[in-house]
Amino acid sequence: ADISGSGRLIAAEAQIQVELSELLRSIPRPAAALEASNAQHAPILKAIASGKPDQARAAAIAHVEGTYSWFIGLSLGQIKAID
């Protein structure tokens, strides 16, 4: 968001980060899930830095979908929320 220079985008992303942080603090997360999630950030940043928006978008979508699937599995009891 910062790279865009868009005040609206920066503010929206900051608000999303606040809400997401609150949500993530409310549930225990296994270390492996955190490592996998954090590892998914690297291809997003690399694609952005390389000026490859399609790759960045695809990597971001994969990350969001994976996180969503994890939350759904957690809510359905298919994933344990402890290390």
Side-chain angles (χ1 to χ4, degrees):
D2 289 338
I3 293 173
S4 74
S6 168
R8 288 179 65 189
L9 181 59
I10 292 167
E13 192 272 338
Q15 183 59 40
I16 290 168
Q17 286 296 329
V18 167
E19 293 171 14
L20 185 58
S21 292
E22 290 172 1
L23 173 66
L24 292 174
R25 274 195 308 270
S26 71
I27 58 171
R29 296 171 315 250
L34 287 173
E35 290 172 13
S37 177
N38 289 338
Q40 291 175 341
H41 292 162
I44 298 168
L45 296 174
K46 183 178 178 182
I48 291 170
S50 300
K52 298 177 179 174
D54 291 339
Q55 286 181 7
R57 183 179 303 107
I61 288 170
H63 174 57
V64 170
E65 288 175 346
T67 302
Y68 174 78
S69 293
W70 184 80
F71 277 116
I72 294 300
L74 184 65
S75 71
L76 295 177
Q78 296 170 345
I79 298 173
K80 297 209 182 280
I82 58 173
D83 243 345

